[in-house]
């Protein structure tokens, strides 16, 4: 029997704080025979000045030092408080995988593995990298669907990934009980690495390229100076840095506190166990692939002639180390372990024994229970931090071993070139804000840990920690009427319940219970009038004598005239799309800037940085939390609103893209005639505390017109039919505005030398290689979501960016990037959805004309 017997554990000491000491590197973690890395000597040198100071010598900090120094940065200094790897890195199981359910992180995994494959040769330090491949096991039909969903999202990436049949799985993993196995998702090249040796090899490389790695050198205080530099204090001396990077692992919160920030991080306990030699394992001719039993929620890999098994407990059972958040990490804690608790993982042990029966006769020789830092969504926080100049973070790594190599490269490229090398918005540290309380962080960390292996559906919602304090003024009014989505702390209606319909949250890879209600909301807006809560928008007020100059420098579009609004893009120096905002010129030199909820602090940081760099005399205020926003859209929108205001809302008096301050039902609003639905509509910006009264007044006034609510799912269907691009999907740091079809908004001939202008001119002169197109396709019961593979003549040639069912033509509709030679209207391609390639055709966009265009054409007739 798989005996978790205390006597069989190696004699690890108990610390008085209830933590176990692990003074020696756990030798049983894979390292090939003879692969001993001598400890690296500590530096005796000191520097007074540094270009970049990295705080923390775990795998992440050291990888960044390696990449910066290798790329040629002089004066890279890494300060480590005790010794390299003396944090989570010390304990990690070292699993490495190409698999990631998201999109951009696949690139990070890829870059890490490619680096780890060559590091030993480059640095002369062994890294103990094993690549037997890995198999994720499906034992339910919905898992098989998930694998198919993941295959189409991987097809256009460099990563190799296959769905394999049970026979193949059995051949690769002969010790598996195949009773319940339906399929496997196989990634060749996956495996595990020795985290200690990896870090030491990166350190050797960093030193070789000129970085100074200094330890022990605990950073005790950080002071920002008016010129943007930092004074960094350690007991060994102080130094001045042009930029600092917090890479302090589970101490990152404490480093943040030195400068008044509360990073939303929390340590959780993670256990894995190692068995003694198992005869059946010993008899194998080749190393077993790493196994991930998703229903059993554990990973399992070969460790010498035994097995290493690591479970993820449910959110109820897992343990958050919350005392470290309230009282800090106990002094002296570094390589120590928590007390093991095998009862907590028994149900996973049983599942593993059923799946891999040889475990029943194995002995446990070691249990590791170490701290992993969790952010609320378990993704790390990587990049510059809004509100603090030249402060960068690389923190919150739940899977830092597989992320370290790629993130080090990504961050080093960003630091050196002034823009991210590719889109990785999901790691933006600025996705969190003041609303991310400790209570929220803990609830989310529990959920994220417990959900490590749950099925990842499209349009997934997670409910722990909600609502936050950041709800809109309409939350109470709408909460029981709709299915809410979570957007940067806000709750926003996704779709509204209809009488006698299933109101539950039922995510699916296929059309599900919200398909019909969303269709009703679509019709509501196209035929009558609908109201939507848009309060989560990010909102900034910009004024001051240089405001126009600043915005002219930041935006590729012209500055709108006073009283008007336009859509403008901030580009990167390389001419890619950093952000899309709605710019309203409210009074001479005073602007209201609106952005999506997901990009509030991301955009604000960029604007603030440009203002400081250029020395512009402006005042920038984030007014996101002060204002609520209601959208009113549909052919009867004017009729309804006109009942509530003396302001003339007629076509001639209040034109498309005009903005005015007025009163609606006596409530002061800034009204912009714009709607992301493409229908006649206004967005009404008002004090957040007035939201409910404004909403009630509009709903009452619109009874005769048949007014009703609509949510963001219907809005998505409406905007896709109008061919409106969405930031983050059709445009991001991976795309330039020309290939995204945004020429109309980019004024290359405007006098101002806006950021990205020169690069864009060159892109234009060279010609485009790919283009965004609109596709329609007839499917069975599934619609494109975005990130699916596009096929042509048996090859993947592109990817969708977003998609929906089109309620007007009753087919699926998607945006996709395809090679320029396949981008003509009428071109036929295929879109892969759930394992099937559906014929698709490129259409003339938009599928449905916007209301202003329809109006204009009607007048001409
Ligand atoms: C049991 C267990 C199993 C795991 N298994 C895996 C796995 O299989 N695959 C995987 O990808 N990940 C795994 N992880 C997660 C992985 O270990 C971490 O994500 C990763 O090590 C984090 O690295 P880091 O460099 O961010 O932090 P750390 O390794 O914690 O390093 C932070 C460093 O900062 C230093 N520091 C802190 N404060 C200061 C200061 N004020 N001044 C100077 N220095 C400071 C610390 O001394 C420490 O050395 C596992 C973790 C555990 C505990």
């Amino acid at each position: 029997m798989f005996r978790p017997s205390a006597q069989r554990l190696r004699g690890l000491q108990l610390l008085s704080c209830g933590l176990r000491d692990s003074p020696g590197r756990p030798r049983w973690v894979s390292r090939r025979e003879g692969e001993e890395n001598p400890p690296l000597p500590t530096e005796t040198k000191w520097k007074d000045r540094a270009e970049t100071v990295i705080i923390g010598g775990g795998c992440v900090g050291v990888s960044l030092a390696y990449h910066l120094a290798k790329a040629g940065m002089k004066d890279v200094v890494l300060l480590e408080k005790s010794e390299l790897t003396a944090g989570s890195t010390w304990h990690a199981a070292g699993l490495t995988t190409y698999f990631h359910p998201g999109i951009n992180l696949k690139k990070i995994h890829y870059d890490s593995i490619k680096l780890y494959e060559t590091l030993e040769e480059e640095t002369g330090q062994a890294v103990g990298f094993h690549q037997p491949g890995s198999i994720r096991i499906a034992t339910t039909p919905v898992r098989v669907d998930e694998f198919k969903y993941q295959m189409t999202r991987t097809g256009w990436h460099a990563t190799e990934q296959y769905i394999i049949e049970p026979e193949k799985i059995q051949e690769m993993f002969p010790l598996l009980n195949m009773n319940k196995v339906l399929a496997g998702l196989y990634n060749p090249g996956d495996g595990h690495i020795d985290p200690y040796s990896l870090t030491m090899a990166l350190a050797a490389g960093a030193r070789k390229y000129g970085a100074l790695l200094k330890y022990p050198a605990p950073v005790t205080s950080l002071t920002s100076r008016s010129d943007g530099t930092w004074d960094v204090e350690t007991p060994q001396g102080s130094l001045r840095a042009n930029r600092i990077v917090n890479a302090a692992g589970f101490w990152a919160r404490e480093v943040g506190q030195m400068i008044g920030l509360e990073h939303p991080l929390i340590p959780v306990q993670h256990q894995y166990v190692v068995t003694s030699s198992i005869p059946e394992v010993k008899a194998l001719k080749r190393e077993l692939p790493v196994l991930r039993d998703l229903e059993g929620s554990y990973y399992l890999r070969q460790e010498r002639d035994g097995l290493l098994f690591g479970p993820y407990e449910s959110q109820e059972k897992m343990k958050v180390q919350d005392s470290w958040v309230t009282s800090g990490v106990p002094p002296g804690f570094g390589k120590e372990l928590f007390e093991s608790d095998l009862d907590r993982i028994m149900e996973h042990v049983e599942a593993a024994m059923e799946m891999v029966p040889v475990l029943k006769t194995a002995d446990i020789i070691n249990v590791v229970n170490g701290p992993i830092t969790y952010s609320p969504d378990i993704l790390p926080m990587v990049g510059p931090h809004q509100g603090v100049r030249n402060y960068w973070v690389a923190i919150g790594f739940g899977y830092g071993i597989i992320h370290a190599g790629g993130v080090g490269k990504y961050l080093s490229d960003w630091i050196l070139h002034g823009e991210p090398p590719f889109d990785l918005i999901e790691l933006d540290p600025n996705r969190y804000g003041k609303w991310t309380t400790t209570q929220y962080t803990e609830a989310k960390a529990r959920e994220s840990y417990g959900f490590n292996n749950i099925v990842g559906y499209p349009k997934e919602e997670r409910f722990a920690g909600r609502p936050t304090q950041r709800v809109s003024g309409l939350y109470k009014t709408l909460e029981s009427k709709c299915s809410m989505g979570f957007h940067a702390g806000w709750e926003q209606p996704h779709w509204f319940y209809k009488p006698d319909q299933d109101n539950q949250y039922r995510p699916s890879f296929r059309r599900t219970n919200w398909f019909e209600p969303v269709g009703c909301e679509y019709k509501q807006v196209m035929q009558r009038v609908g109201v939507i809560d848009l309060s989560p928008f990010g909102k900034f007020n910009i004024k001051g004598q240089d405001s126009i100059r600043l915005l002219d420098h930041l935006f590729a579009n012209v500055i709108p005239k006073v009283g008007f609004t336009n859509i403008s893009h901030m580009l990167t120096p390389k001419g890619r799309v950093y952000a899309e905002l709605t710019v309203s010129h409210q009074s001479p030199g005073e602007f209201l800037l609106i952005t999506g909820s997901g990009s509030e602090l991301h955009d604000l940081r960029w604007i603030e940085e440009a203002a400081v760099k250029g020395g512009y005399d402006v005042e920038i205020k984030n007014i996101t939390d002060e204002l609520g926003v209601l959208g009113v859209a549909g052919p009867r929108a004017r009729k309804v609103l006109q009942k509530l205001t003396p302001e003339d809302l007629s076509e001639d008096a209040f034109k498309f893209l005009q903005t005015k301050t007025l009163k609606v039902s006596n409530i002061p609003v800034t009204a912009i005639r714009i709607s992301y639905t493409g229908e006649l509509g206004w967005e009404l910006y008002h004090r957040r505390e007035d939201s409910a009264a404004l909403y009630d007044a509009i709903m009452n006034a619109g009874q005769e017109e048949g007014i009703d609510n609509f949510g963001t799912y219907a809005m998505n269907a409406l905007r896709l039919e109008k061919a409106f691009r969405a930031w983050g999907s059709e445009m991001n740091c991976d795309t330039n505005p020309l290939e995204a079809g945004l020429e109309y908004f980019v004024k290359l001939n405007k006098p101002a030398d806006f950021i990205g202008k020169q690069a864009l001119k060159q892109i234009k002169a060279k010609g485009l290689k790919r283009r965004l197109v609109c596709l329609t396709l007839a499917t069975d019961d599934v619609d494109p979501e975005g990130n699916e593979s596009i096929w042509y003549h048996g090859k993947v040639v592109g990817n969708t960016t977003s998609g929906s069912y089109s309620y007007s033509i009753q087919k699926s509709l998607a945006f996709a990037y395809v090679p320029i030679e396949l981008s003509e209207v009428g071109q036929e391609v295929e879109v892969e959805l759930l394992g099937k390639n559906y014929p698709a055709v490129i259409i003339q966009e938009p599928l449905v004309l916007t209301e202003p265009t329809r109006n204009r054409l009607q007048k001409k007739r």
Side-chain angles (χ1 to χ4, degrees), residues 55-61 79-83 86-89 91-95 217-219 247-251 255 270 272 368 370-372 397-402:
I55 305 165
C59 57
V60 173
L79 301 174
E80 161 54 48
K81 75 177 170 55
S82 53
E83 56 184 295
S88 290
T89 303
H91 305 297
L95 296 179
V219 172
F250 51 84
W251 295 267
V255 171
H270 177 62
Y272 61 83
V368 170
I372 304 192
F397 285 85
Y399 308 99
I401 308 305
I402 181 56

Short mmCIF file of all heavy atoms in Angstrom, two decimals, residues 55-61 79-83 86-89 91-95 217-219 247-251 255 270 272 368 370-372 397-402, ligand 1:
data_model
loop_
_atom_site.label_atom_id
_atom_site.label_comp_id
_atom_site.label_asym_id
_atom_site.label_seq_id
_atom_site.Cartn_x
_atom_site.Cartn_y
_atom_site.Cartn_z
N ILE A 55 15.47 42.71 -7.39
CA ILE A 55 15.40 42.31 -5.98
C ILE A 55 14.89 40.88 -5.91
O ILE A 55 13.72 40.62 -6.18
CB ILE A 55 14.47 43.26 -5.19
CG1 ILE A 55 14.93 44.71 -5.37
CG2 ILE A 55 14.45 42.87 -3.70
CD1 ILE A 55 13.90 45.74 -4.94
N GLY A 56 15.77 39.94 -5.60
CA GLY A 56 15.36 38.55 -5.46
C GLY A 56 16.12 37.63 -6.39
O GLY A 56 16.13 37.84 -7.60
N GLY A 57 16.74 36.62 -5.80
CA GLY A 57 17.56 35.68 -6.57
C GLY A 57 16.93 34.31 -6.68
O GLY A 57 17.61 33.29 -6.54
N GLY A 58 15.62 34.25 -6.94
CA GLY A 58 14.97 32.99 -7.31
C GLY A 58 15.13 32.81 -8.82
O GLY A 58 15.80 33.60 -9.49
N CYS A 59 14.49 31.76 -9.35
CA CYS A 59 14.67 31.49 -10.78
C CYS A 59 14.22 32.68 -11.63
O CYS A 59 14.82 32.97 -12.67
CB CYS A 59 13.91 30.22 -11.19
SG CYS A 59 12.16 30.28 -10.82
N VAL A 60 13.21 33.44 -11.19
CA VAL A 60 12.69 34.53 -12.01
C VAL A 60 13.67 35.70 -12.05
O VAL A 60 14.03 36.19 -13.13
CB VAL A 60 11.31 34.98 -11.48
CG1 VAL A 60 10.83 36.22 -12.21
CG2 VAL A 60 10.29 33.85 -11.62
N GLY A 61 14.11 36.15 -10.88
CA GLY A 61 15.04 37.28 -10.83
C GLY A 61 16.33 36.98 -11.57
O GLY A 61 16.85 37.80 -12.33
N LEU A 79 20.15 41.76 -6.24
CA LEU A 79 20.37 41.70 -4.79
C LEU A 79 19.52 40.58 -4.21
O LEU A 79 18.30 40.55 -4.42
CB LEU A 79 19.99 43.04 -4.15
CG LEU A 79 20.77 44.26 -4.67
CD1 LEU A 79 20.21 45.55 -4.07
CD2 LEU A 79 22.26 44.14 -4.39
N GLU A 80 20.17 39.67 -3.53
CA GLU A 80 19.46 38.53 -2.94
C GLU A 80 19.71 38.55 -1.44
O GLU A 80 20.84 38.70 -0.99
CB GLU A 80 19.97 37.24 -3.58
CG GLU A 80 19.69 35.97 -2.79
CD GLU A 80 18.23 35.76 -2.44
OE1 GLU A 80 17.37 35.90 -3.32
OE2 GLU A 80 17.96 35.47 -1.24
N LYS A 81 18.65 38.39 -0.67
CA LYS A 81 18.80 38.60 0.78
C LYS A 81 19.58 37.48 1.47
O LYS A 81 20.27 37.73 2.44
CB LYS A 81 17.46 38.82 1.45
CG LYS A 81 16.59 37.63 1.65
CD LYS A 81 15.33 38.06 2.40
CE LYS A 81 14.31 36.97 2.42
NZ LYS A 81 14.78 35.70 2.96
N SER A 82 19.47 36.25 1.00
CA SER A 82 20.26 35.19 1.66
C SER A 82 21.15 34.48 0.64
O SER A 82 22.32 34.79 0.51
CB SER A 82 19.36 34.22 2.40
OG SER A 82 18.36 33.70 1.55
N GLU A 83 20.60 33.53 -0.09
CA GLU A 83 21.38 32.93 -1.17
C GLU A 83 20.46 32.62 -2.34
O GLU A 83 19.23 32.54 -2.17
CB GLU A 83 22.08 31.66 -0.70
CG GLU A 83 21.14 30.65 -0.11
CD GLU A 83 21.87 29.43 0.44
OE1 GLU A 83 22.47 28.71 -0.34
OE2 GLU A 83 21.79 29.23 1.67
N ALA A 86 16.79 30.62 -2.52
CA ALA A 86 16.30 30.38 -1.16
C ALA A 86 14.85 30.87 -0.97
O ALA A 86 14.54 31.61 -0.04
CB ALA A 86 17.21 31.06 -0.16
N GLY A 87 13.97 30.43 -1.85
CA GLY A 87 12.55 30.74 -1.73
C GLY A 87 11.78 29.58 -2.31
O GLY A 87 12.19 28.42 -2.17
N SER A 88 10.70 29.85 -3.03
CA SER A 88 9.91 28.77 -3.63
C SER A 88 10.76 27.92 -4.56
O SER A 88 10.55 26.70 -4.67
CB SER A 88 8.74 29.34 -4.43
OG SER A 88 7.80 29.91 -3.57
N THR A 89 11.70 28.56 -5.24
CA THR A 89 12.51 27.84 -6.23
C THR A 89 13.17 26.60 -5.61
O THR A 89 13.32 25.57 -6.26
CB THR A 89 13.57 28.79 -6.83
OG1 THR A 89 12.90 29.91 -7.39
CG2 THR A 89 14.42 28.11 -7.88
N HIS A 91 12.10 24.49 -3.59
CA HIS A 91 11.26 23.32 -3.34
C HIS A 91 10.56 22.77 -4.57
O HIS A 91 9.96 21.71 -4.49
CB HIS A 91 10.16 23.68 -2.34
CG HIS A 91 10.70 24.25 -1.07
ND1 HIS A 91 11.50 23.52 -0.23
CD2 HIS A 91 10.56 25.48 -0.52
CE1 HIS A 91 11.83 24.28 0.80
NE2 HIS A 91 11.28 25.47 0.65
N ALA A 92 10.62 23.50 -5.69
CA ALA A 92 9.71 23.17 -6.80
C ALA A 92 9.95 21.77 -7.35
O ALA A 92 11.06 21.25 -7.34
CB ALA A 92 9.88 24.20 -7.91
N ALA A 93 8.85 21.20 -7.85
CA ALA A 93 8.91 19.87 -8.46
C ALA A 93 9.54 19.96 -9.86
O ALA A 93 9.87 18.94 -10.44
CB ALA A 93 7.52 19.27 -8.55
N GLY A 94 9.63 21.15 -10.39
CA GLY A 94 10.36 21.38 -11.63
C GLY A 94 9.66 20.98 -12.91
O GLY A 94 10.28 20.85 -13.96
N LEU A 95 8.33 20.85 -12.87
CA LEU A 95 7.62 20.44 -14.08
C LEU A 95 7.67 21.54 -15.14
O LEU A 95 7.50 22.73 -14.82
CB LEU A 95 6.16 20.12 -13.76
CG LEU A 95 5.92 18.95 -12.83
CD1 LEU A 95 4.44 18.77 -12.58
CD2 LEU A 95 6.51 17.68 -13.42
N ALA A 217 22.42 40.19 0.52
CA ALA A 217 22.22 41.65 0.42
C ALA A 217 20.73 41.93 0.45
O ALA A 217 20.10 42.18 -0.58
CB ALA A 217 22.85 42.18 -0.87
N PRO A 218 20.12 41.86 1.64
CA PRO A 218 18.67 42.09 1.71
C PRO A 218 18.33 43.56 1.47
O PRO A 218 18.95 44.44 2.09
CB PRO A 218 18.32 41.68 3.14
CG PRO A 218 19.60 41.70 3.90
CD PRO A 218 20.72 41.53 2.94
N VAL A 219 17.40 43.80 0.61
CA VAL A 219 16.96 45.19 0.37
C VAL A 219 16.06 45.58 1.54
O VAL A 219 15.07 44.89 1.83
CB VAL A 219 16.22 45.30 -0.97
CG1 VAL A 219 15.58 46.67 -1.13
CG2 VAL A 219 17.18 45.01 -2.12
N ALA A 247 11.38 41.07 -7.73
CA ALA A 247 11.26 39.64 -8.10
C ALA A 247 11.43 38.82 -6.82
O ALA A 247 12.15 37.83 -6.80
CB ALA A 247 12.32 39.27 -9.14
N ALA A 248 10.76 39.28 -5.77
CA ALA A 248 11.04 38.76 -4.43
C ALA A 248 10.15 37.60 -4.02
O ALA A 248 10.01 37.30 -2.82
CB ALA A 248 10.95 39.88 -3.41
N GLY A 249 9.52 36.91 -4.97
CA GLY A 249 8.76 35.70 -4.65
C GLY A 249 7.70 35.95 -3.58
O GLY A 249 6.94 36.91 -3.66
N PHE A 250 7.68 35.10 -2.54
CA PHE A 250 6.61 35.27 -1.53
C PHE A 250 6.90 36.41 -0.56
O PHE A 250 6.14 36.65 0.36
CB PHE A 250 6.23 33.96 -0.84
CG PHE A 250 7.35 33.14 -0.27
CD1 PHE A 250 7.86 33.41 0.99
CD2 PHE A 250 7.88 32.09 -1.01
CE1 PHE A 250 8.89 32.63 1.52
CE2 PHE A 250 8.90 31.31 -0.49
CZ PHE A 250 9.42 31.58 0.77
N TRP A 251 8.01 37.13 -0.77
CA TRP A 251 8.26 38.37 -0.02
C TRP A 251 7.88 39.60 -0.86
O TRP A 251 8.09 40.72 -0.44
CB TRP A 251 9.74 38.50 0.35
CG TRP A 251 10.27 37.48 1.30
CD1 TRP A 251 10.34 37.59 2.66
CD2 TRP A 251 10.83 36.21 0.97
NE1 TRP A 251 10.91 36.45 3.19
CE2 TRP A 251 11.22 35.58 2.17
CE3 TRP A 251 11.04 35.51 -0.22
CZ2 TRP A 251 11.81 34.32 2.21
CZ3 TRP A 251 11.62 34.26 -0.18
CH2 TRP A 251 12.00 33.67 1.03
N VAL A 255 8.20 43.77 -0.16
CA VAL A 255 9.00 44.73 -0.93
C VAL A 255 8.07 45.84 -1.46
O VAL A 255 8.41 47.03 -1.41
CB VAL A 255 9.77 44.02 -2.08
CG1 VAL A 255 10.41 45.02 -3.01
CG2 VAL A 255 10.82 43.08 -1.50
N HIS A 270 1.62 24.09 -0.97
CA HIS A 270 1.48 23.06 -2.01
C HIS A 270 2.36 21.87 -1.63
O HIS A 270 3.53 22.04 -1.31
CB HIS A 270 1.88 23.61 -3.38
CG HIS A 270 1.82 22.58 -4.46
ND1 HIS A 270 0.66 21.95 -4.83
CD2 HIS A 270 2.79 22.05 -5.24
CE1 HIS A 270 0.91 21.08 -5.79
NE2 HIS A 270 2.21 21.12 -6.07
N TYR A 272 3.86 17.90 -2.44
CA TYR A 272 4.01 16.74 -3.31
C TYR A 272 4.77 15.67 -2.54
O TYR A 272 5.47 15.96 -1.57
CB TYR A 272 4.67 17.06 -4.65
CG TYR A 272 6.07 17.62 -4.62
CD1 TYR A 272 7.17 16.77 -4.51
CD2 TYR A 272 6.28 18.99 -4.73
CE1 TYR A 272 8.46 17.30 -4.52
CE2 TYR A 272 7.56 19.51 -4.74
CZ TYR A 272 8.66 18.67 -4.63
OH TYR A 272 9.91 19.17 -4.62
N VAL A 368 7.01 17.09 0.50
CA VAL A 368 7.43 18.50 0.47
C VAL A 368 6.16 19.34 0.54
O VAL A 368 5.22 19.12 -0.22
CB VAL A 368 8.19 18.81 -0.84
CG1 VAL A 368 8.41 20.31 -1.00
CG2 VAL A 368 9.53 18.10 -0.85
N GLY A 370 5.59 23.26 0.47
CA GLY A 370 6.26 24.56 0.39
C GLY A 370 5.32 25.68 -0.03
O GLY A 370 4.19 25.43 -0.45
N PRO A 371 5.77 26.94 0.10
CA PRO A 371 4.93 28.07 -0.26
C PRO A 371 5.01 28.44 -1.74
O PRO A 371 6.09 28.57 -2.29
CB PRO A 371 5.50 29.22 0.60
CG PRO A 371 6.90 28.79 0.91
CD PRO A 371 7.06 27.35 0.66
N ILE A 372 3.84 28.58 -2.34
CA ILE A 372 3.76 29.12 -3.71
C ILE A 372 2.98 30.42 -3.62
O ILE A 372 1.95 30.48 -2.93
CB ILE A 372 3.02 28.19 -4.67
CG1 ILE A 372 3.66 26.81 -4.69
CG2 ILE A 372 2.99 28.77 -6.06
CD1 ILE A 372 3.16 25.91 -5.82
N PHE A 397 4.30 34.25 -9.09
CA PHE A 397 4.47 33.08 -9.95
C PHE A 397 3.99 31.81 -9.27
O PHE A 397 4.61 31.33 -8.32
CB PHE A 397 5.94 32.92 -10.35
CG PHE A 397 6.38 33.92 -11.38
CD1 PHE A 397 6.81 35.18 -10.99
CD2 PHE A 397 6.32 33.61 -12.72
CE1 PHE A 397 7.17 36.12 -11.94
CE2 PHE A 397 6.69 34.55 -13.68
CZ PHE A 397 7.11 35.80 -13.29
N GLY A 398 2.92 31.26 -9.78
CA GLY A 398 2.45 29.96 -9.31
C GLY A 398 3.22 28.83 -9.98
O GLY A 398 3.35 27.75 -9.45
N TYR A 399 3.73 29.12 -11.18
CA TYR A 399 4.48 28.11 -11.96
C TYR A 399 5.77 28.76 -12.47
O TYR A 399 6.01 28.84 -13.67
CB TYR A 399 3.65 27.60 -13.13
CG TYR A 399 2.29 27.13 -12.74
CD1 TYR A 399 1.18 27.94 -12.90
CD2 TYR A 399 2.13 25.88 -12.16
CE1 TYR A 399 -0.08 27.52 -12.49
CE2 TYR A 399 0.89 25.45 -11.75
CZ TYR A 399 -0.22 26.28 -11.92
OH TYR A 399 -1.45 25.86 -11.52
N GLY A 400 6.54 29.25 -11.53
CA GLY A 400 7.70 30.07 -11.89
C GLY A 400 8.80 29.33 -12.62
O GLY A 400 9.59 29.95 -13.33
N ILE A 401 8.86 28.01 -12.46
CA ILE A 401 9.95 27.29 -13.12
C ILE A 401 9.72 27.30 -14.63
O ILE A 401 10.63 27.62 -15.41
CB ILE A 401 10.05 25.83 -12.60
CG1 ILE A 401 10.13 25.82 -11.06
CG2 ILE A 401 11.23 25.10 -13.24
CD1 ILE A 401 11.24 26.67 -10.46
N ILE A 402 8.50 27.00 -15.04
CA ILE A 402 8.24 27.00 -16.48
C ILE A 402 8.14 28.44 -17.01
O ILE A 402 8.41 28.70 -18.18
CB ILE A 402 6.98 26.16 -16.85
CG1 ILE A 402 6.77 26.16 -18.36
CG2 ILE A 402 5.74 26.64 -16.14
CD1 ILE A 402 7.92 25.70 -19.18
C1 LIG B 1 6.21 22.43 -3.54
C2 LIG B 1 6.32 23.28 -4.75
C3 LIG B 1 6.29 22.68 -6.01
C4 LIG B 1 6.37 23.47 -7.14
N1 LIG B 1 6.40 22.88 -8.38
C5 LIG B 1 6.53 23.62 -9.50
C6 LIG B 1 6.63 23.02 -10.78
O1 LIG B 1 6.61 21.81 -10.89
N2 LIG B 1 6.74 23.81 -11.88
C7 LIG B 1 6.75 25.17 -11.79
O2 LIG B 1 6.82 25.84 -12.81
N3 LIG B 1 6.67 25.78 -10.56
C8 LIG B 1 6.57 25.05 -9.44
N4 LIG B 1 6.51 25.64 -8.21
C9 LIG B 1 6.44 27.11 -8.16
C10 LIG B 1 7.82 27.71 -8.29
O3 LIG B 1 8.66 27.15 -7.35
C11 LIG B 1 7.76 29.21 -8.07
O4 LIG B 1 6.75 29.76 -8.88
C12 LIG B 1 9.07 29.87 -8.43
O5 LIG B 1 10.13 29.23 -7.78
C13 LIG B 1 9.05 31.33 -8.04
O6 LIG B 1 10.30 31.88 -8.27
P1 LIG B 1 10.63 33.37 -7.83
O7 LIG B 1 11.99 33.65 -8.34
O8 LIG B 1 9.52 34.24 -8.24
O9 LIG B 1 10.57 33.36 -6.23
P2 LIG B 1 11.48 32.68 -5.14
O10 LIG B 1 12.07 31.41 -5.59
O11 LIG B 1 10.66 32.63 -3.89
O12 LIG B 1 12.66 33.70 -4.98
C14 LIG B 1 12.51 34.97 -4.38
C15 LIG B 1 13.85 35.40 -3.83
O13 LIG B 1 13.76 36.75 -3.40
C16 LIG B 1 14.61 36.89 -2.27
N5 LIG B 1 14.19 38.09 -1.52
C17 LIG B 1 13.01 38.27 -0.89
N6 LIG B 1 12.98 39.48 -0.30
C18 LIG B 1 14.15 40.08 -0.58
C19 LIG B 1 14.73 41.33 -0.23
N7 LIG B 1 14.08 42.22 0.52
N8 LIG B 1 15.97 41.62 -0.69
C20 LIG B 1 16.66 40.73 -1.45
N9 LIG B 1 16.16 39.52 -1.78
C21 LIG B 1 14.92 39.19 -1.37
C22 LIG B 1 14.40 35.59 -1.52
O14 LIG B 1 15.43 35.31 -0.62
C23 LIG B 1 14.32 34.58 -2.66
O15 LIG B 1 15.55 33.98 -2.94
C24 LIG B 1 6.48 24.88 -7.03
C25 LIG B 1 6.54 25.46 -5.78
C26 LIG B 1 6.48 24.67 -4.64
C27 LIG B 1 6.58 25.31 -3.30
#
